[in-house]
Amino acid sequence: VFLGVFVVEFVLNLMVYTFWYLRTPWGRFDFFFVVVGVASDWVVPALEAAQELPLSALLIFRMVRLVRVARAVRLMPQYRVLWMLVRGLGSALQTLVWAFVMLVAVIFVFAILGMELLHGSDFFTSQEDTAAVIEQHFQTVPKTMLTLLQISTLDSWAVVVRPLVVKQPILMLYFVSFIGLSAIAVMNLVTAII
């Protein structure tokens, strides 16, 4: 029903403003969403029924039409503060991407260091309780990075850290410096950006 209203609105705008309507940003915006709506609601189901092709992956475009709701919300005075927040988040997006890259780089460097400290040490691999932790959390670089991501969010990090630090207290320097750099410094940087 709504798609039909959008198509009628678009056609009426084309009739009134001719093709000059497509030169405006809102005209191109409407054109894009009408095309996506027609493709996802009318064309894809017809193709699936006729050829039995699994085209349901293209239905993700239906979610894109939610942006049209954002256009309507932007014009309402009650939502002016919300729109200001959305614009602020959009302008901080590039900085957030670089903060994410920096966080990944910190995690990668500490993952390599952790693999050298823990996985390469006979002291930890020879003991049963620490060997299990190292096998589960520090076996490969991707596993170590995932474990460090868990530690940087402070999600059950003591379960991973405690058995290792009990056996070798000097490892507190490694884990505390990682938590200080990732969970406190970089995350506060992200908070300051937003």
Side-chain angles (χ1 to χ4, degrees):
V1 174
F2 288 112
L3 179 59
V5 172
F6 289 146
V7 170
V8 169
E9 175 201 12
F10 179 73
V11 170
L12 288 175
N13 279 325
L14 276 180
M15 290 171 55
V16 171
Y17 300 111
T18 64
F19 284 101
W20 286 103
Y21 180 65
L22 292 176
R23 292 185 180 202
T24 65
W26 287 120
R28 289 190 298 263
F29 182 78
D30 284 344
F31 174 74
F32 174 73
F33 286 109
V34 165
V35 168
V36 167
V38 167
S40 67
D41 281 358
W42 297 340
V43 175
V44 170
L47 287 175
E48 280 183 334
Q51 300 175 1
E52 297 180 12
L53 293 175
L55 298 175
S56 58
L58 296 177
L59 296 181
I60 192 74
F61 288 118
R62 287 185 181 177
M63 291 177 51
V64 174
R65 290 186 291 170
L66 289 175
V67 176
R68 189 171 173 97
V69 175
R71 174 186 172 194
V73 168
R74 184 183 70 87
L75 298 174
M76 294 179 182
Q78 302 96 316
Y79 298 108
R80 205 163 291 199
V81 175
L82 175 66
W83 189 252
M84 199 167 55
L85 287 171
V86 169
R87 277 195 341 222
L89 184 63
S91 65
L93 200 57
Q94 181 181 10
T95 311
L96 285 173
V97 167
W98 284 112
F100 175 75
V101 168
M102 189 169 91
L103 180 64
V104 169
V106 166
I107 289 175
F108 181 74
V109 167
F110 272 87
I112 299 295
L113 183 62
M115 293 260 321
E116 288 296 320
L117 286 173
L118 300 171
H119 191 66
S121 170
D122 291 334
F123 177 76
F124 291 112
T125 54
S126 63
Q127 299 181 18
E128 188 175 316
D129 53 345
T130 57
V133 171
I134 291 172
E135 180 71 30
Q136 185 177 3
H137 298 288
F138 296 97
Q139 185 66 28
T140 62
V141 173
K143 272 187 179 181
T144 306
M145 288 179 71
L146 187 60
T147 301
L148 290 177
L149 179 65
Q150 175 186 351
I151 291 171
S152 72
T153 61
L154 304 176
D155 176 36
S156 303
W157 67 282
V159 174
V160 177
V161 173
R162 186 177 306 271
L164 301 172
V165 171
V166 165
K167 298 291 182 186
Q168 193 68 273
I170 194 75
L171 283 177
M172 274 306 275
L173 288 175
Y174 169 75
F175 288 112
V176 168
S177 63
F178 175 73
I179 289 171
L181 194 59
S182 66
I184 297 172
V186 175
M187 294 303 177
N188 282 332
L189 180 68
V190 168
T191 305
I193 291 168
I194 293 178

